[in-house]
Amino acid sequence: MSFGVPMNPGDTLLYGRLYLPNSHLEALYLRRLSPTTQLKISCVSSSALKSGGSILLLLQNDVGKYSTEYLYSTDSALLGVRGLYNFGQDPREGAESPELETLTKVKTALEGKEGIGGRNGRFSAGAEMYYGLLNKSGGMSTGIRFTTLPSHSGFPYTMTLTLNPLMGNLSSTYAVKAGRSLALCSRFDFNFYSYESELQVGMELWRRRNLQQTDLEWVHKKIQERGGWDIPASISSLAEKVEDLDEEHRDKDTAGVLKARVNQDWGIGLLWEGRVKELLYTAGILIDVKRKEQIFRGVGLEIQYSS
């Protein structure tokens, strides 16, 4: 759920996906019950599953300051509840439309100002509890998160720490957007009972298309409609000063993305996601450097059609 974007109760999304030749079927039903509440039903049908399939029901409520989620799964008749609380200012206060928010970013970049009130980050805390009616077992976990806001002048980053006290699992992650087309991340897992640990690092590298002048004329036009600011006359000069444009317009210049990860045992994973006209394709490979006799552990290719 995002603020500033019109959401109408009753909006519905239906999605289905069939994997061949193993006849694995996925289905999704998503319906917005109110501006802050939505119902999500996910279904999976596959002969590989013990019961032949499963259904997951989620009732989600997000009011900005906090969010809750209630779930039920036919797998083990699992019941669960999740909650997340955002400390600091209520995100709903002073919410702007996407276009106005983008124009504010443009003005801030041109004037060289830090941001209103110096609110550069948000701290959040959450927890979840679940119980299986069939196997008579339950569990819980808790976590904290800190993420920077758009007003942050440095590299955007996010840090998380989660703990499952019953299983003894501790996990921490750190992700940073090191550039317009580069993101870096790391994850460290540790178990208090077995003393086992795992470290992974990864990256995402986007391939961008060359933006044409017409792609950024909407920014210049909107600024002029609001009275105009002291901005460069050249659209290309404006683009150099504004790094983070509106999400919808930034996505249009993405031609593909390379994802890579490596763990402490030198297990390497590479994945490329790209597009050729209406065809979306994903190609990946798994490499185990320590296994000299069979260094390539797996290769995969996925093709989708989007019209």
Side-chain angles (χ1 to χ4, degrees):
M1 301 179 185
S2 57
F3 299 97
V5 179
M7 295 294 181
N8 300 319
D11 288 350
T12 305
L13 172 66
L14 297 175
Y15 168 81
R17 193 174 190 179
L18 177 63
Y19 294 85
L20 297 175
N22 56 3
S23 300
H24 179 92
L25 178 64
E26 294 179 356
L28 172 67
Y29 173 82
L30 187 64
R31 183 177 179 86
R32 184 169 294 277
L33 305 178
S34 72
T36 60
T37 306
Q38 68 181 15
L39 174 66
K40 178 180 179 181
I41 303 177
S42 304
C43 306
V44 177
S45 177
S46 175
S47 58
L49 299 178
K50 183 178 180 180
S51 57
S54 65
I55 301 176
L56 175 64
L57 289 83
L58 290 173
L59 181 62
Q60 302 169 321
N61 182 50
D62 188 348
V63 298
K65 188 67 174 178
Y66 64 90
S67 62
T68 57
E69 189 173 279
Y70 305 92
L71 66 89
Y72 172 78
S73 175
T74 57
D75 187 12
S76 301
L78 184 69
L79 293 172
V81 59
R82 300 168 180 164
L84 178 70
Y85 184 82
N86 297 311
F87 295 89
Q89 184 192 19
D90 192 331
R92 294 172 298 176
E93 297 180 1
E96 300 176 338
S97 65
E99 290 184 349
L100 182 58
E101 182 180 358
T102 302
L103 296 177
T104 303
K105 294 179 183 178
V106 174
K107 183 177 180 181
T108 301
L110 295 176
E111 293 178 351
K113 294 183 179 180
E114 177 64 22
I116 303 175
R119 300 185 296 267
N120 297 327
R122 177 177 294 124
F123 180 77
S124 307
E128 67 174 359
M129 295 181 294
Y130 49 89
Y131 182 79
L133 299 178
L134 297 182
N135 53 22
K136 308 297 182 183
S137 64
M140 66 169 295
S141 63
T142 183
I144 56 177
R145 179 186 67 191
F146 178 83
T147 183
T148 57
L149 298 179
S151 58
H152 179 63
S153 59
F155 293 127
Y157 64 89
T158 299
M159 299 182 294
T160 67
L161 179 66
T162 58
L163 172 65
N164 188 323
L166 298 181
M167 303 300 295
N169 293 328
L170 177 68
S171 178
S172 63
T173 65
Y174 177 79
V176 58
K177 187 175 181 182
R180 181 172 178 267
S181 302
L182 177 64
L184 305 173
C185 61
S186 63
R187 187 181 72 184
F188 178 74
D189 298 322
F190 180 78
N191 188 279
F192 290 104
Y193 302 141
S194 64
Y195 298 105
E196 294 181 348
S197 62
E198 182 181 13
L199 174 65
Q200 290 192 31
V201 295
M203 58 158 285
E204 288 188 359
L205 181 63
W206 290 274
R207 181 190 174 197
R208 305 287 185 177
R209 297 190 181 95
N210 294 325
L211 288 177
Q212 303 297 325
Q213 182 168 343
T214 55
D215 294 330
L216 295 176
E217 285 182 350
W218 65 276
V219 181
H220 193 273
K221 180 180 178 181
K222 289 296 181 180
I223 293 176
Q224 289 181 332
E225 289 177 354
R226 298 180 180 276
W229 295 317
D230 185 16
I231 62 174
S234 171
I235 294 295
S236 60
S237 178
L238 174 63
E240 293 176 358
K241 291 190 176 183
V242 183
E243 180 178 331
D244 194 11
L245 295 177
D246 181 76
E247 192 71 28
E248 176 184 354
H249 294 269
R250 275 190 294 141
D251 289 344
K252 290 182 179 180
D253 72 335
T254 302
V257 55
L258 173 66
K259 301 181 180 181
R261 64 172 175 84
V262 58
N263 59 23
Q264 60 190 18
D265 298 322
W266 288 103
I268 301 175
L270 299 174
L271 183 72
W272 171 260
E273 297 178 350
R275 178 170 186 166
V276 178
K277 294 185 179 180
E278 283 77 25
L279 288 180
L280 305 176
Y281 65 92
T282 302
I285 185 172
L286 293 176
I287 302 174
D288 191 343
V289 179
K290 291 186 176 181
R291 297 179 60 179
K292 303 297 183 181
E293 68 283 357
Q294 189 179 0
I295 190 172
F296 297 103
R297 297 188 57 186
V299 178
L301 175 64
E302 180 183 75
I303 300 178
Q304 304 177 64
Y305 177 78
S306 175
S307 60

mmCIF file with all atom_site columns, all heavy atoms in Angstrom, residues 144-167:
data_model
loop_
_atom_site.group_PDB
_atom_site.id
_atom_site.type_symbol
_atom_site.label_atom_id
_atom_site.label_alt_id
_atom_site.label_comp_id
_atom_site.label_asym_id
_atom_site.label_entity_id
_atom_site.label_seq_id
_atom_site.pdbx_PDB_ins_code
_atom_site.Cartn_x
_atom_site.Cartn_y
_atom_site.Cartn_z
_atom_site.occupancy
_atom_site.B_iso_or_equiv
_atom_site.pdbx_formal_charge
_atom_site.auth_seq_id
_atom_site.auth_comp_id
_atom_site.auth_asym_id
_atom_site.auth_atom_id
_atom_site.pdbx_PDB_model_num
ATOM 1   N N   . ILE A 1 144 ? 13.831 -5.920  14.009 1.00 0.00 ? 144 ILE A N   1
ATOM 2   C CA  . ILE A 1 144 ? 13.909 -4.468  13.956 1.00 0.00 ? 144 ILE A CA  1
ATOM 3   C C   . ILE A 1 144 ? 14.501 -4.069  12.607 1.00 0.00 ? 144 ILE A C   1
ATOM 4   O O   . ILE A 1 144 ? 15.220 -4.847  11.967 1.00 0.00 ? 144 ILE A O   1
ATOM 5   C CB  . ILE A 1 144 ? 14.754 -3.881  15.102 1.00 0.00 ? 144 ILE A CB  1
ATOM 6   C CG1 . ILE A 1 144 ? 16.155 -4.501  15.095 1.00 0.00 ? 144 ILE A CG1 1
ATOM 7   C CG2 . ILE A 1 144 ? 14.075 -4.093  16.441 1.00 0.00 ? 144 ILE A CG2 1
ATOM 8   C CD1 . ILE A 1 144 ? 17.080 -3.913  16.147 1.00 0.00 ? 144 ILE A CD1 1
ATOM 9   N N   . ARG A 1 145 ? 14.199 -2.849  12.168 1.00 0.00 ? 145 ARG A N   1
ATOM 10  C CA  . ARG A 1 145 ? 14.676 -2.375  10.876 1.00 0.00 ? 145 ARG A CA  1
ATOM 11  C C   . ARG A 1 145 ? 14.918 -0.876  10.927 1.00 0.00 ? 145 ARG A C   1
ATOM 12  O O   . ARG A 1 145 ? 14.157 -0.129  11.555 1.00 0.00 ? 145 ARG A O   1
ATOM 13  C CB  . ARG A 1 145 ? 13.648 -2.679  9.781  1.00 0.00 ? 145 ARG A CB  1
ATOM 14  C CG  . ARG A 1 145 ? 14.041 -2.187  8.380  1.00 0.00 ? 145 ARG A CG  1
ATOM 15  C CD  . ARG A 1 145 ? 12.908 -2.407  7.391  1.00 0.00 ? 145 ARG A CD  1
ATOM 16  N NE  . ARG A 1 145 ? 11.756 -1.558  7.712  1.00 0.00 ? 145 ARG A NE  1
ATOM 17  C CZ  . ARG A 1 145 ? 10.562 -1.685  7.148  1.00 0.00 ? 145 ARG A CZ  1
ATOM 18  N NH1 . ARG A 1 145 ? 10.348 -2.626  6.258  1.00 0.00 ? 145 ARG A NH1 1
ATOM 19  N NH2 . ARG A 1 145 ? 9.562  -0.873  7.501  1.00 0.00 ? 145 ARG A NH2 1
ATOM 20  N N   . PHE A 1 146 ? 15.989 -0.443  10.279 1.00 0.00 ? 146 PHE A N   1
ATOM 21  C CA  . PHE A 1 146 ? 16.233 0.983   10.087 1.00 0.00 ? 146 PHE A CA  1
ATOM 22  C C   . PHE A 1 146 ? 16.481 1.230   8.612  1.00 0.00 ? 146 PHE A C   1
ATOM 23  O O   . PHE A 1 146 ? 17.298 0.548   7.990  1.00 0.00 ? 146 PHE A O   1
ATOM 24  C CB  . PHE A 1 146 ? 17.443 1.466   10.896 1.00 0.00 ? 146 PHE A CB  1
ATOM 25  C CG  . PHE A 1 146 ? 17.736 2.935   10.671 1.00 0.00 ? 146 PHE A CG  1
ATOM 26  C CD1 . PHE A 1 146 ? 17.043 3.902   11.368 1.00 0.00 ? 146 PHE A CD1 1
ATOM 27  C CD2 . PHE A 1 146 ? 18.696 3.336   9.736  1.00 0.00 ? 146 PHE A CD2 1
ATOM 28  C CE1 . PHE A 1 146 ? 17.288 5.252   11.148 1.00 0.00 ? 146 PHE A CE1 1
ATOM 29  C CE2 . PHE A 1 146 ? 18.948 4.675   9.521  1.00 0.00 ? 146 PHE A CE2 1
ATOM 30  C CZ  . PHE A 1 146 ? 18.244 5.640   10.224 1.00 0.00 ? 146 PHE A CZ  1
ATOM 31  N N   . THR A 1 147 ? 15.771 2.190   8.050  1.00 0.00 ? 147 THR A N   1
ATOM 32  C CA  . THR A 1 147 ? 15.937 2.516   6.631  1.00 0.00 ? 147 THR A CA  1
ATOM 33  C C   . THR A 1 147 ? 15.952 4.025   6.451  1.00 0.00 ? 147 THR A C   1
ATOM 34  O O   . THR A 1 147 ? 15.279 4.750   7.200  1.00 0.00 ? 147 THR A O   1
ATOM 35  C CB  . THR A 1 147 ? 14.804 1.893   5.795  1.00 0.00 ? 147 THR A CB  1
ATOM 36  O OG1 . THR A 1 147 ? 15.030 2.160   4.411  1.00 0.00 ? 147 THR A OG1 1
ATOM 37  C CG2 . THR A 1 147 ? 13.452 2.452   6.196  1.00 0.00 ? 147 THR A CG2 1
ATOM 38  N N   . THR A 1 148 ? 16.725 4.485   5.512  1.00 0.00 ? 148 THR A N   1
ATOM 39  C CA  . THR A 1 148 ? 16.791 5.916   5.246  1.00 0.00 ? 148 THR A CA  1
ATOM 40  C C   . THR A 1 148 ? 15.586 6.358   4.434  1.00 0.00 ? 148 THR A C   1
ATOM 41  O O   . THR A 1 148 ? 14.978 5.570   3.703  1.00 0.00 ? 148 THR A O   1
ATOM 42  C CB  . THR A 1 148 ? 18.073 6.265   4.485  1.00 0.00 ? 148 THR A CB  1
ATOM 43  O OG1 . THR A 1 148 ? 18.123 5.510   3.266  1.00 0.00 ? 148 THR A OG1 1
ATOM 44  C CG2 . THR A 1 148 ? 19.300 5.941   5.317  1.00 0.00 ? 148 THR A CG2 1
ATOM 45  N N   . LEU A 1 149 ? 15.259 7.647   4.550  1.00 0.00 ? 149 LEU A N   1
ATOM 46  C CA  . LEU A 1 149 ? 14.155 8.240   3.807  1.00 0.00 ? 149 LEU A CA  1
ATOM 47  C C   . LEU A 1 149 ? 14.701 9.036   2.620  1.00 0.00 ? 149 LEU A C   1
ATOM 48  O O   . LEU A 1 149 ? 15.910 9.288   2.536  1.00 0.00 ? 149 LEU A O   1
ATOM 49  C CB  . LEU A 1 149 ? 13.353 9.151   4.741  1.00 0.00 ? 149 LEU A CB  1
ATOM 50  C CG  . LEU A 1 149 ? 12.689 8.446   5.940  1.00 0.00 ? 149 LEU A CG  1
ATOM 51  C CD1 . LEU A 1 149 ? 11.954 9.451   6.813  1.00 0.00 ? 149 LEU A CD1 1
ATOM 52  C CD2 . LEU A 1 149 ? 11.750 7.354   5.471  1.00 0.00 ? 149 LEU A CD2 1
ATOM 53  N N   . PRO A 1 150 ? 13.836 9.439   1.687  1.00 0.00 ? 150 PRO A N   1
ATOM 54  C CA  . PRO A 1 150 ? 14.314 10.186  0.520  1.00 0.00 ? 150 PRO A CA  1
ATOM 55  C C   . PRO A 1 150 ? 15.073 11.468  0.866  1.00 0.00 ? 150 PRO A C   1
ATOM 56  O O   . PRO A 1 150 ? 15.887 11.934  0.060  1.00 0.00 ? 150 PRO A O   1
ATOM 57  C CB  . PRO A 1 150 ? 13.018 10.505  -0.242 1.00 0.00 ? 150 PRO A CB  1
ATOM 58  C CG  . PRO A 1 150 ? 12.096 9.395   0.132  1.00 0.00 ? 150 PRO A CG  1
ATOM 59  C CD  . PRO A 1 150 ? 12.414 9.068   1.561  1.00 0.00 ? 150 PRO A CD  1
ATOM 60  N N   . SER A 1 151 ? 14.827 12.032  2.050  1.00 0.00 ? 151 SER A N   1
ATOM 61  C CA  . SER A 1 151 ? 15.528 13.266  2.428  1.00 0.00 ? 151 SER A CA  1
ATOM 62  C C   . SER A 1 151 ? 16.977 13.020  2.819  1.00 0.00 ? 151 SER A C   1
ATOM 63  O O   . SER A 1 151 ? 17.752 13.970  2.976  1.00 0.00 ? 151 SER A O   1
ATOM 64  C CB  . SER A 1 151 ? 14.796 13.943  3.586  1.00 0.00 ? 151 SER A CB  1
ATOM 65  O OG  . SER A 1 151 ? 14.701 13.078  4.706  1.00 0.00 ? 151 SER A OG  1
ATOM 66  N N   . HIS A 1 152 ? 17.381 11.764  2.979  1.00 0.00 ? 152 HIS A N   1
ATOM 67  C CA  . HIS A 1 152 ? 18.763 11.444  3.336  1.00 0.00 ? 152 HIS A CA  1
ATOM 68  C C   . HIS A 1 152 ? 19.691 11.839  2.195  1.00 0.00 ? 152 HIS A C   1
ATOM 69  O O   . HIS A 1 152 ? 19.477 11.468  1.039  1.00 0.00 ? 152 HIS A O   1
ATOM 70  C CB  . HIS A 1 152 ? 18.884 9.952   3.626  1.00 0.00 ? 152 HIS A CB  1
ATOM 71  C CG  . HIS A 1 152 ? 20.261 9.497   3.979  1.00 0.00 ? 152 HIS A CG  1
ATOM 72  N ND1 . HIS A 1 152 ? 20.936 9.939   5.096  1.00 0.00 ? 152 HIS A ND1 1
ATOM 73  C CD2 . HIS A 1 152 ? 21.101 8.635   3.355  1.00 0.00 ? 152 HIS A CD2 1
ATOM 74  C CE1 . HIS A 1 152 ? 22.118 9.376   5.153  1.00 0.00 ? 152 HIS A CE1 1
ATOM 75  N NE2 . HIS A 1 152 ? 22.244 8.579   4.102  1.00 0.00 ? 152 HIS A NE2 1
ATOM 76  N N   . SER A 1 153 ? 20.759 12.588  2.509  1.00 0.00 ? 153 SER A N   1
ATOM 77  C CA  . SER A 1 153 ? 21.630 13.137  1.465  1.00 0.00 ? 153 SER A CA  1
ATOM 78  C C   . SER A 1 153 ? 22.675 12.136  0.984  1.00 0.00 ? 153 SER A C   1
ATOM 79  O O   . SER A 1 153 ? 23.238 12.305  -0.089 1.00 0.00 ? 153 SER A O   1
ATOM 80  C CB  . SER A 1 153 ? 22.342 14.387  1.988  1.00 0.00 ? 153 SER A CB  1
ATOM 81  O OG  . SER A 1 153 ? 23.118 14.079  3.149  1.00 0.00 ? 153 SER A OG  1
ATOM 82  N N   . GLY A 1 154 ? 22.953 11.085  1.770  1.00 0.00 ? 154 GLY A N   1
ATOM 83  C CA  . GLY A 1 154 ? 23.960 10.114  1.379  1.00 0.00 ? 154 GLY A CA  1
ATOM 84  C C   . GLY A 1 154 ? 23.364 8.940   0.634  1.00 0.00 ? 154 GLY A C   1
ATOM 85  O O   . GLY A 1 154 ? 22.259 9.013   0.071  1.00 0.00 ? 154 GLY A O   1
ATOM 86  N N   . PHE A 1 155 ? 24.092 7.820   0.618  1.00 0.00 ? 155 PHE A N   1
ATOM 87  C CA  . PHE A 1 155 ? 23.614 6.619   -0.035 1.00 0.00 ? 155 PHE A CA  1
ATOM 88  C C   . PHE A 1 155 ? 22.421 6.046   0.741  1.00 0.00 ? 155 PHE A C   1
ATOM 89  O O   . PHE A 1 155 ? 22.502 5.873   1.955  1.00 0.00 ? 155 PHE A O   1
ATOM 90  C CB  . PHE A 1 155 ? 24.713 5.558   -0.117 1.00 0.00 ? 155 PHE A CB  1
ATOM 91  C CG  . PHE A 1 155 ? 25.842 5.927   -1.017 1.00 0.00 ? 155 PHE A CG  1
ATOM 92  C CD1 . PHE A 1 155 ? 27.158 5.887   -0.564 1.00 0.00 ? 155 PHE A CD1 1
ATOM 93  C CD2 . PHE A 1 155 ? 25.601 6.309   -2.324 1.00 0.00 ? 155 PHE A CD2 1
ATOM 94  C CE1 . PHE A 1 155 ? 28.204 6.231   -1.391 1.00 0.00 ? 155 PHE A CE1 1
ATOM 95  C CE2 . PHE A 1 155 ? 26.640 6.640   -3.168 1.00 0.00 ? 155 PHE A CE2 1
ATOM 96  C CZ  . PHE A 1 155 ? 27.938 6.608   -2.711 1.00 0.00 ? 155 PHE A CZ  1
ATOM 97  N N   . PRO A 1 156 ? 21.315 5.707   0.071  1.00 0.00 ? 156 PRO A N   1
ATOM 98  C CA  . PRO A 1 156 ? 20.200 5.060   0.765  1.00 0.00 ? 156 PRO A CA  1
ATOM 99  C C   . PRO A 1 156 ? 20.603 3.660   1.243  1.00 0.00 ? 156 PRO A C   1
ATOM 100 O O   . PRO A 1 156 ? 21.250 2.911   0.510  1.00 0.00 ? 156 PRO A O   1
ATOM 101 C CB  . PRO A 1 156 ? 19.109 4.983   -0.317 1.00 0.00 ? 156 PRO A CB  1
ATOM 102 C CG  . PRO A 1 156 ? 19.532 5.942   -1.380 1.00 0.00 ? 156 PRO A CG  1
ATOM 103 C CD  . PRO A 1 156 ? 21.020 5.974   -1.345 1.00 0.00 ? 156 PRO A CD  1
ATOM 104 N N   . TYR A 1 157 ? 20.237 3.303   2.464  1.00 0.00 ? 157 TYR A N   1
ATOM 105 C CA  . TYR A 1 157 ? 20.580 1.992   2.987  1.00 0.00 ? 157 TYR A CA  1
ATOM 106 C C   . TYR A 1 157 ? 19.491 1.507   3.935  1.00 0.00 ? 157 TYR A C   1
ATOM 107 O O   . TYR A 1 157 ? 18.692 2.287   4.458  1.00 0.00 ? 157 TYR A O   1
ATOM 108 C CB  . TYR A 1 157 ? 21.937 2.002   3.692  1.00 0.00 ? 157 TYR A CB  1
ATOM 109 C CG  . TYR A 1 157 ? 21.991 2.865   4.934  1.00 0.00 ? 157 TYR A CG  1
ATOM 110 C CD1 . TYR A 1 157 ? 21.671 2.356   6.189  1.00 0.00 ? 157 TYR A CD1 1
ATOM 111 C CD2 . TYR A 1 157 ? 22.375 4.212   4.856  1.00 0.00 ? 157 TYR A CD2 1
ATOM 112 C CE1 . TYR A 1 157 ? 21.727 3.140   7.320  1.00 0.00 ? 157 TYR A CE1 1
ATOM 113 C CE2 . TYR A 1 157 ? 22.434 5.004   5.987  1.00 0.00 ? 157 TYR A CE2 1
ATOM 114 C CZ  . TYR A 1 157 ? 22.104 4.468   7.212  1.00 0.00 ? 157 TYR A CZ  1
ATOM 115 O OH  . TYR A 1 157 ? 22.147 5.252   8.336  1.00 0.00 ? 157 TYR A OH  1
ATOM 116 N N   . THR A 1 158 ? 19.476 0.189   4.152  1.00 0.00 ? 158 THR A N   1
ATOM 117 C CA  . THR A 1 158 ? 18.527 -0.447  5.049  1.00 0.00 ? 158 THR A CA  1
ATOM 118 C C   . THR A 1 158 ? 19.251 -1.512  5.863  1.00 0.00 ? 158 THR A C   1
ATOM 119 O O   . THR A 1 158 ? 20.030 -2.300  5.310  1.00 0.00 ? 158 THR A O   1
ATOM 120 C CB  . THR A 1 158 ? 17.368 -1.100  4.267  1.00 0.00 ? 158 THR A CB  1
ATOM 121 O OG1 . THR A 1 158 ? 16.669 -0.094  3.530  1.00 0.00 ? 158 THR A OG1 1
ATOM 122 C CG2 . THR A 1 158 ? 16.398 -1.783  5.224  1.00 0.00 ? 158 THR A CG2 1
ATOM 123 N N   . MET A 1 159 ? 18.986 -1.555  7.176  1.00 0.00 ? 159 MET A N   1
ATOM 124 C CA  . MET A 1 159 ? 19.569 -2.552  8.064  1.00 0.00 ? 159 MET A CA  1
ATOM 125 C C   . MET A 1 159 ? 18.435 -3.282  8.790  1.00 0.00 ? 159 MET A C   1
ATOM 126 O O   . MET A 1 159 ? 17.485 -2.644  9.244  1.00 0.00 ? 159 MET A O   1
ATOM 127 C CB  . MET A 1 159 ? 20.502 -1.901  9.083  1.00 0.00 ? 159 MET A CB  1
ATOM 128 C CG  . MET A 1 159 ? 21.685 -1.165  8.472  1.00 0.00 ? 159 MET A CG  1
ATOM 129 S SD  . MET A 1 159 ? 22.806 -0.467  9.730  1.00 0.00 ? 159 MET A SD  1
ATOM 130 C CE  . MET A 1 159 ? 21.714 0.765   10.474 1.00 0.00 ? 159 MET A CE  1
ATOM 131 N N   . THR A 1 160 ? 18.544 -4.603  8.905  1.00 0.00 ? 160 THR A N   1
ATOM 132 C CA  . THR A 1 160 ? 17.537 -5.385  9.610  1.00 0.00 ? 160 THR A CA  1
ATOM 133 C C   . THR A 1 160 ? 18.210 -6.387  10.545 1.00 0.00 ? 160 THR A C   1
ATOM 134 O O   . THR A 1 160 ? 19.343 -6.824  10.302 1.00 0.00 ? 160 THR A O   1
ATOM 135 C CB  . THR A 1 160 ? 16.626 -6.157  8.638  1.00 0.00 ? 160 THR A CB  1
ATOM 136 O OG1 . THR A 1 160 ? 17.399 -7.164  7.957  1.00 0.00 ? 160 THR A OG1 1
ATOM 137 C CG2 . THR A 1 160 ? 16.000 -5.227  7.620  1.00 0.00 ? 160 THR A CG2 1
ATOM 138 N N   . LEU A 1 161 ? 17.499 -6.739  11.602 1.00 0.00 ? 161 LEU A N   1
ATOM 139 C CA  . LEU A 1 161 ? 17.949 -7.758  12.556 1.00 0.00 ? 161 LEU A CA  1
ATOM 140 C C   . LEU A 1 161 ? 16.728 -8.541  13.007 1.00 0.00 ? 161 LEU A C   1
ATOM 141 O O   . LEU A 1 161 ? 15.785 -7.963  13.543 1.00 0.00 ? 161 LEU A O   1
ATOM 142 C CB  . LEU A 1 161 ? 18.644 -7.117  13.756 1.00 0.00 ? 161 LEU A CB  1
ATOM 143 C CG  . LEU A 1 161 ? 19.148 -8.077  14.835 1.00 0.00 ? 161 LEU A CG  1
ATOM 144 C CD1 . LEU A 1 161 ? 20.275 -8.955  14.283 1.00 0.00 ? 161 LEU A CD1 1
ATOM 145 C CD2 . LEU A 1 161 ? 19.635 -7.308  16.059 1.00 0.00 ? 161 LEU A CD2 1
ATOM 146 N N   . THR A 1 162 ? 16.720 -9.859  12.767 1.00 0.00 ? 162 THR A N   1
ATOM 147 C CA  . THR A 1 162 ? 15.593 -10.705 13.149 1.00 0.00 ? 162 THR A CA  1
ATOM 148 C C   . THR A 1 162 ? 16.070 -11.824 14.064 1.00 0.00 ? 162 THR A C   1
ATOM 149 O O   . THR A 1 162 ? 17.200 -12.306 13.943 1.00 0.00 ? 162 THR A O   1
ATOM 150 C CB  . THR A 1 162 ? 14.912 -11.314 11.904 1.00 0.00 ? 162 THR A CB  1
ATOM 151 O OG1 . THR A 1 162 ? 15.876 -12.069 11.160 1.00 0.00 ? 162 THR A OG1 1
ATOM 152 C CG2 . THR A 1 162 ? 14.340 -10.225 11.021 1.00 0.00 ? 162 THR A CG2 1
ATOM 153 N N   . LEU A 1 163 ? 15.192 -12.252 14.964 1.00 0.00 ? 163 LEU A N   1
ATOM 154 C CA  . LEU A 1 163 ? 15.524 -13.273 15.950 1.00 0.00 ? 163 LEU A CA  1
ATOM 155 C C   . LEU A 1 163 ? 14.348 -14.221 16.113 1.00 0.00 ? 163 LEU A C   1
ATOM 156 O O   . LEU A 1 163 ? 13.205 -13.787 16.287 1.00 0.00 ? 163 LEU A O   1
ATOM 157 C CB  . LEU A 1 163 ? 15.859 -12.628 17.296 1.00 0.00 ? 163 LEU A CB  1
ATOM 158 C CG  . LEU A 1 163 ? 16.043 -13.584 18.488 1.00 0.00 ? 163 LEU A CG  1
ATOM 159 C CD1 . LEU A 1 163 ? 17.248 -14.484 18.262 1.00 0.00 ? 163 LEU A CD1 1
ATOM 160 C CD2 . LEU A 1 163 ? 16.176 -12.802 19.786 1.00 0.00 ? 163 LEU A CD2 1
ATOM 161 N N   . ASN A 1 164 ? 14.648 -15.517 16.015 1.00 0.00 ? 164 ASN A N   1
ATOM 162 C CA  . ASN A 1 164 ? 13.677 -16.568 16.326 1.00 0.00 ? 164 ASN A CA  1
ATOM 163 C C   . ASN A 1 164 ? 14.167 -17.273 17.583 1.00 0.00 ? 164 ASN A C   1
ATOM 164 O O   . ASN A 1 164 ? 15.034 -18.144 17.525 1.00 0.00 ? 164 ASN A O   1
ATOM 165 C CB  . ASN A 1 164 ? 13.555 -17.559 15.160 1.00 0.00 ? 164 ASN A CB  1
ATOM 166 C CG  . ASN A 1 164 ? 12.429 -18.557 15.365 1.00 0.00 ? 164 ASN A CG  1
ATOM 167 O OD1 . ASN A 1 164 ? 12.160 -19.007 16.471 1.00 0.00 ? 164 ASN A OD1 1
ATOM 168 N ND2 . ASN A 1 164 ? 11.763 -18.901 14.274 1.00 0.00 ? 164 ASN A ND2 1
ATOM 169 N N   . PRO A 1 165 ? 13.649 -16.903 18.774 1.00 0.00 ? 165 PRO A N   1
ATOM 170 C CA  . PRO A 1 165 ? 14.190 -17.450 20.028 1.00 0.00 ? 165 PRO A CA  1
ATOM 171 C C   . PRO A 1 165 ? 13.977 -18.945 20.197 1.00 0.00 ? 165 PRO A C   1
ATOM 172 O O   . PRO A 1 165 ? 14.790 -19.617 20.832 1.00 0.00 ? 165 PRO A O   1
ATOM 173 C CB  . PRO A 1 165 ? 13.449 -16.643 21.105 1.00 0.00 ? 165 PRO A CB  1
ATOM 174 C CG  . PRO A 1 165 ? 12.203 -16.175 20.442 1.00 0.00 ? 165 PRO A CG  1
ATOM 175 C CD  . PRO A 1 165 ? 12.544 -15.962 19.002 1.00 0.00 ? 165 PRO A CD  1
ATOM 176 N N   . LEU A 1 166 ? 12.911 -19.498 19.653 1.00 0.00 ? 166 LEU A N   1
ATOM 177 C CA  . LEU A 1 166 ? 12.645 -20.925 19.823 1.00 0.00 ? 166 LEU A CA  1
ATOM 178 C C   . LEU A 1 166 ? 13.616 -21.778 19.014 1.00 0.00 ? 166 LEU A C   1
ATOM 179 O O   . LEU A 1 166 ? 14.093 -22.814 19.474 1.00 0.00 ? 166 LEU A O   1
ATOM 180 C CB  . LEU A 1 166 ? 11.207 -21.245 19.418 1.00 0.00 ? 166 LEU A CB  1
ATOM 181 C CG  . LEU A 1 166 ? 10.113 -20.546 20.236 1.00 0.00 ? 166 LEU A CG  1
ATOM 182 C CD1 . LEU A 1 166 ? 8.735  -20.969 19.754 1.00 0.00 ? 166 LEU A CD1 1
ATOM 183 C CD2 . LEU A 1 166 ? 10.275 -20.850 21.720 1.00 0.00 ? 166 LEU A CD2 1
ATOM 184 N N   . MET A 1 167 ? 13.914 -21.355 17.792 1.00 0.00 ? 167 MET A N   1
ATOM 185 C CA  . MET A 1 167 ? 14.850 -22.092 16.943 1.00 0.00 ? 167 MET A CA  1
ATOM 186 C C   . MET A 1 167 ? 16.291 -21.629 17.132 1.00 0.00 ? 167 MET A C   1
ATOM 187 O O   . MET A 1 167 ? 17.223 -22.293 16.669 1.00 0.00 ? 167 MET A O   1
ATOM 188 C CB  . MET A 1 167 ? 14.454 -21.928 15.476 1.00 0.00 ? 167 MET A CB  1
ATOM 189 C CG  . MET A 1 167 ? 13.033 -22.373 15.154 1.00 0.00 ? 167 MET A CG  1
ATOM 190 S SD  . MET A 1 167 ? 12.762 -24.112 15.530 1.00 0.00 ? 167 MET A SD  1
ATOM 191 C CE  . MET A 1 167 ? 13.866 -24.880 14.349 1.00 0.00 ? 167 MET A CE  1
#
